[in-house]
């Protein structure tokens, strides 16, 4: 793989604008190469006619100055002319502080020198951009390190208070004099309730000391330590409430920060939050270190490429400047990583360094061939079963049989539930594939733990396995009903869909796109009614005649939208952003549309009043949802964009994909018209099957929406250089305490 592609693949995608623009500098070098080839002095006629381009390049290399068999030998002419007189790099002083770097190209008077002068100007711009970004991020992590230190002081004091509730004030010094050392007991998040000895389990907590090596650590461990002072607890409040809607509403009335109660549950929750904070902070340090290394490597590669093209030796001078700059000489991140490792291993991994580093450095997930084999095998079996079902239906002429309507009304909804789930999972697998292909950091956006997210192969394995079970149930149901030997087992035959549901129901909750699974919820409701109150032995039910069923039919449909509506209200309260209120109104309009549309569809004698209401509410909901999809969620339809009616930055290189997606989203949003207007597009298609088709179209629309929604969110993260999730810390320092320190 060429370095340019490898460089792009290893970037922190949210920071991609802050990396050195390798391809832009490489394009300038190509211009220099083309100019030199175009203006190269012609050789003799005989040589020109008999020597190929490759031979010319090989012969030209024979005339380069010999660099010596060892690095110690340097020709005087090369040192004098090629190093000292090609470029001069200096740092501009701004108010006594080292500022941006500037490179003076000393060969600008040569023919084609303007191209090389442009190259060094762009090179300086890229280096200064990288340097400023790196300095800014290092300052941020140092501030975060200070905050984590405060949190650890509070946690240490809380541990002592919980395990030694009688210890107060200066008594701590006396306890420290009794020989408690840092290795007397490790500081894990185990408590006396879990088998420790109350009174000393956490008494070896100390103020963190900077340690450079194992010998210093051992030397310090042999001394006595002063435990952390307990008076820090007088200046902090605890924030360990779960982030739930109830907690949000409670915070409106009363602050979520409360006084410490010094309970073990409080301590356990605080430790969990600080553990998450340490893991996320260490991940940030690793990515920052990788950013520094990759950019240094990129500058080295581009300068060596420059030397090769121009036959100069300017790379040494420039790379010496890079090494001496803050980017190359700063070691704050490396030292901080060491301190974080030592702290985490000691306090949260029971002193087990391997266990602690395994948590801090999660391994990349390995692709397993058996997953590919299994989902391929399951997919092949599913296709074979689909063919078998089609052949069976055609051979037995089931579409024209007397029991067709009875089967479609009672049995088809039971199996269609699995079809909705499989289709949604297939769309999600496609989303994951294209997100990875176009480097959309979906695992960060979703908040997945690193290395635990499902790849598209795993999702395909789940969907193909579920489809295989469902299709096997369908064909066995048909065979048992038609076969004279098993026809008497009618009760067992009708229970096949119920057995299938019990086996696969947990997988259904993997889908988070509940608003597009309304029909799946209704199918689940039909399962309960059919097997609970229906006469499944005779394949008949009176569900639609029950008023309770009709009410629940509406309730289960609006639950997903109601959840999103409440979430919008919660974010409106927390963030004070009116956009969330408008989004909540959008979901409320959808709730009204679904409710009125369902009432209209259940009317035996449909009235024009309900028809107008259903059409009006559905029209309003469709227009607002379509506008929100395209303009807000996707960020498209920007008139002033460099890409007409799209947005400035696009992940997919083909613009037509975006225009097609917008049109398709509008068309699929209008699927409700079939239910309101009673359109029968295919004469031989049963009403229940038509409902399933419309529900499937909504799932497909949701799958398309998923890709562009996350693409827009990813680009927003890129624009704000947001590559890490914020982890709530358990302790809140009062401002009075901050001012006094």
């Amino acid at each position: 793989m060429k370095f340019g592609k490898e460089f792009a693949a290893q970037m922190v995608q949210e920071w991609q604008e802050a990396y050195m623009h390798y391809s832009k500098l490489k394009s300038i070098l190509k211009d220099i190469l083309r100019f030199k080839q175009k203006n190269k002095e012609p050789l003799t006629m005989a040589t020109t006619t008999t020597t190929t381009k490759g031979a010319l390049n090989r012969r030209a290399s024979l005339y380069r100055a010999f660099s010596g068999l060892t690095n110690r030998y340097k020709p005087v002419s090369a040192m004098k002319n090629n190093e000292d007189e090609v470029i001069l790099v200096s740092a501009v002083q701004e108010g006594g502080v080292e500022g941006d770097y500037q490179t003076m190209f000393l060969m600008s008077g040569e023919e084609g020198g303007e191209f090389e002068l442009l190259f060094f100007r762009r090179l300086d711009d890229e280096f200064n951009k990288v340097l400023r970004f790196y300095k800014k991020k290092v300052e941020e992590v140092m501030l975060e390190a200070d905050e984590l230190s405060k949190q650890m002081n509070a946690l240490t004091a809380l541990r002592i208070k919980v395990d030694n509730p009688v210890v107060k004030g200066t008594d701590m010094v006396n306890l420290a004099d009794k020989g408690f050392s840092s290795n007397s007991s490790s500081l894990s998040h185990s408590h006396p309730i879990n088998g420790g000895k109350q009174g000393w389990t956490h008494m070896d907590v100390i103020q963190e000391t900077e340690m450079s090596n194992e010998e210093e650590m051992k030397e310090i461990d042999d001394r006595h330590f002063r435990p952390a002072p307990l008076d820090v607890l007088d200046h902090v409040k605890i924030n360990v409430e779960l982030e739930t809607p109830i907690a949000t509403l409670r915070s409106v009335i009363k602050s979520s920060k409360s006084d410490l109660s010094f309970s073990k549950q409080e301590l356990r929750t605080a430790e969990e939050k600080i553990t998450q904070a340490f893991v996320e902070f260490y991940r940030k340090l690793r990515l920052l270190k990788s950013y520094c290394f990759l950019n240094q490597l990129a500058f080295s590669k581009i300068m060596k490429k420059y030397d090769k093209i121009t036959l100069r030796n300017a790379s040494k001078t420039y790379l010496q400047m890079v090494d001496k700059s803050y980017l190359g000489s700063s070691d704050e991140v490396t030292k901080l990583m060491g301190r974080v490792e030592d702290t985490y291993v000691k306090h949260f991994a029971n002193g087990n360094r391997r266990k602690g580093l395994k948590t801090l450095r999660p391994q990349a997930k390995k692709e397993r061939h058996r997953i590919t084999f299994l989902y391929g095998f399951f997919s092949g079996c599913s296709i074979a079963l689909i063919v078998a079902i089609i052949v069976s239906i055609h051979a037995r002429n089931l579409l024209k049989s007397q029991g067709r309507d009875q089967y479609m009304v009672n049995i088809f909804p039971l199996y269609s539930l699995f079809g909705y789930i499989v289709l949604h999972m297939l769309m999600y697998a496609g989303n994951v594939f294209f997100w990875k292909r176009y480097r959309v950091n979906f695992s960060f956006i979703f908040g997945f733990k690193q290395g635990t997210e499902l790849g598209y192969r795993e999702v395909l394995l789940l969907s193909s396995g579920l489809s295989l079970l469902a299709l096997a149930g369908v064909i066995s149901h048909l065979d048992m009903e038609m076969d004279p030997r098993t026809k008497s087992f009618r009760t067992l035959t009708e229970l096949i869909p119920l057995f299938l549901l019990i086996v696969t129901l947990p997988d259904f909750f993997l889908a988070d796109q509940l608003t597009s699974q309304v029909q799946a919820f209704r199918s689940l409701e039909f399962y309960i009614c059919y097997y609970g109150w229906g006469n499944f032995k005779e394949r008949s039910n009176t569900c639609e005649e029950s008023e309770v069923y009709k009410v629940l039919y509406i309730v289960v449909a609006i639950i997903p939208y109601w959840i999103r509506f409440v979430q919008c209200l919660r974010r409106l309260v927390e963030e004070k952003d009116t956009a969330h209120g408008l989004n909540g109104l959008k979901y409320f309009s959808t709730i009204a549309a679904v409710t009125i549309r369902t009432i209209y569809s259940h009317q035996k004698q449909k009235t024009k009043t309900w028809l107008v209401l259903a059409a009006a509410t559905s029209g309003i909901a469709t227009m607002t949802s379509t506008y929100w999809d395209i303009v807000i969620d996707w960020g498209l339809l920007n008139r002033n964009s460099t890409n007409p009616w799209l947005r400035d930055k696009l992940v997919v290189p083909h613009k037509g994909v975006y225009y097609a997606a917008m049109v398709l989203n509008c068309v699929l949003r209008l699927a409700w018209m079939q239910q309101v207007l009673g359109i029968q597009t295919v004469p031989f298609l049963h009403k229940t099957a038509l409902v399933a088709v419309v529900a499937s179209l909504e799932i497909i629309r949701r799958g398309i929406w998923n890709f562009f929604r996350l693409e827009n969110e990813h680009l927003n993260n890129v624009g704000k250089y947001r590559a890490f999730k914020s982890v709530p810390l358990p302790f809140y320092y009062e401002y009075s305490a901050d001012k006094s320190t």
Side-chain angles (χ1 to χ4, degrees), residues 52 75 129-130 132 136 152 177 216 263 306 312 322 335 357 406 441 517 525 558 563 583 609 661 667 673 675 734:
T52 62
K129 176 188 73 175
V130 170
R132 286 192 294 268
K136 178 183 175 182
M152 282 301 300
D177 290 338
E216 290 185 15
S263 64
Y306 168 82
R312 303 187 191 280
V322 173
K335 287 183 177 179
L357 295 184
Q406 190 182 22
N441 195 355
Q517 288 284 9
E525 180 195 4
I558 66 175
I563 292 173
N583 196 19
T609 303
V667 172
M673 291 177 60
Q675 188 176 11
E734 295 178 326

Side-chain angles (χ1 to χ4, degrees), residues 408-427:
M408 294 300 297
V409 170
N410 294 279
I411 303 301
F412 183 82
L414 303 177
Y415 287 111
S416 61
L417 169 64
F418 304 101
Y420 302 143
I421 301 173
V422 170
L423 179 59
H424 209 141
M425 295 175 73
L426 289 175
M427 295 301 298

Side-chain angles (χ1 to χ4, degrees), residues 442-714:
F442 71 98
S443 58
F444 166 68
I445 296 173
F446 285 147
F448 293 149
K449 186 178 179 181
Q450 187 179 3
T452 61
E453 70 277 6
L454 293 178
Y456 74 94
R457 290 184 176 87
E458 287 86 352
V459 179
L460 285 176
L461 177 62
L462 290 174
S463 60
S464 60
L466 178 56
S467 66
L468 180 60
L469 287 174
L471 291 170
V474 172
I475 196 167
S476 61
H477 191 279
L478 291 175
D479 285 342
M480 290 180 71
E481 184 177 4
M482 297 300 176
D483 193 339
R485 293 173 297 178
T486 58
K487 196 171 183 179
S488 59
F489 304 150
R490 187 170 185 83
T491 301
L492 180 61
T493 303
E494 298 301 314
L495 285 175
I496 290 177
L498 181 60
F499 294 150
L500 187 60
L501 177 69
I502 294 172
V503 172
T504 61
L505 183 60
D507 293 337
F508 168 73
F509 295 100
L510 294 175
D512 59 354
Q513 310 297 308
L514 301 181
T515 57
S516 294
Q517 288 284 9
V518 170
Q519 201 57 42
F521 280 108
R522 286 175 168 173
S523 297
L524 193 58
E525 180 195 4
F526 182 76
Y527 256 100
I528 298 172
C529 179
Y530 183 72
Y531 285 106
W533 291 273
N535 189 1
F536 64 89
K537 296 180 180 180
E538 300 296 331
R539 192 177 290 177
S540 64
N541 70 88
T542 57
C543 294
E544 294 189 359
E545 298 176 5
S546 171
E547 293 298 326
V548 176
Y549 181 83
K550 291 179 180 179
V551 172
L552 291 177
Y553 199 75
I554 298 175
V555 171
V556 297
I558 66 175
I559 282 176
Y561 300 105
W562 179 259
I563 292 173
R564 291 292 293 121
F565 174 70
V566 173
Q567 287 175 344
C568 291
L569 291 183
R570 177 190 176 191
R571 295 191 66 181
L572 175 64
V573 172
E574 290 179 343
E575 302 176 17
K576 304 296 188 290
D577 188 351
T578 56
H580 298 306
L582 295 175
N583 196 19
L585 289 177
K586 180 196 74 172
Y587 283 108
F588 186 79
S589 68
T590 306
I591 291 172
V594 171
T595 302
I596 296 175
R597 202 161 61 223
T598 305
I599 293 174
Y600 173 75
S601 65
H602 281 161
Q603 286 183 337
K604 295 181 179 180
Q605 295 181 352
K606 303 185 185 302
T607 61
K608 290 185 178 180
T609 303
W610 281 101
L611 174 61
V612 172
L613 285 175
T617 54
S618 298
I620 293 172
T622 299
M623 287 188 291
T624 55
S625 298
T626 302
Y627 174 83
W628 200 275
D629 286 345
I630 297 175
V631 178
I632 307 300
D633 290 339
W634 294 359
L636 303 177
L637 286 183
N638 186 354
R639 290 186 299 176
N640 301 322
S641 172
T642 54
N643 302 303
W645 295 101
L646 299 178
R647 59 173 120 81
D648 292 336
K649 294 181 179 180
L650 302 174
V651 169
V652 181
H654 307 291
K655 298 178 184 178
V657 173
Y658 294 91
Y659 295 116
M662 287 191 289
V663 173
L664 193 57
N665 185 77
C666 294
V667 172
L668 294 179
R669 276 283 185 186
L670 297 176
W672 57 269
M673 291 177 60
Q674 179 274 331
Q675 188 176 11
V676 175
L677 302 179
I679 300 174
Q680 189 72 15
T681 53
V682 184
F684 62 85
L685 199 61
H686 194 272
K687 178 183 176 181
T688 310
L690 188 58
V691 171
V693 170
V694 173
S696 300
L697 292 177
E698 168 58 22
I699 294 173
I700 293 173
R701 188 201 64 80
R702 178 62 62 181
I704 298 172
W705 179 91
N706 285 343
F707 175 81
F708 295 103
R709 177 65 184 91
L710 258 72
E711 178 207 19
N712 189 36
E713 182 67 20
H714 172 73

Side-chain angles (χ1 to χ4, degrees), residues 1-17 19-23 290 294-295 297-298 436-440 714:
M1 181 185 292
K2 292 186 177 180
F3 175 75
K5 293 183 178 179
E6 186 176 352
F7 183 56
Q10 295 188 19
M11 286 181 181
V12 179
Q13 293 305 312
E14 288 75 12
W15 292 352
Q16 56 184 325
E17 297 296 329
Y19 281 82
M20 187 254 267
H21 204 320
Y22 185 82
S23 59
S290 172
L294 281 177
N295 279 290
L297 184 59
K436 285 191 174 183
R437 178 176 179 180
Y438 294 110
R439 298 191 178 97
V440 175
H714 172 73

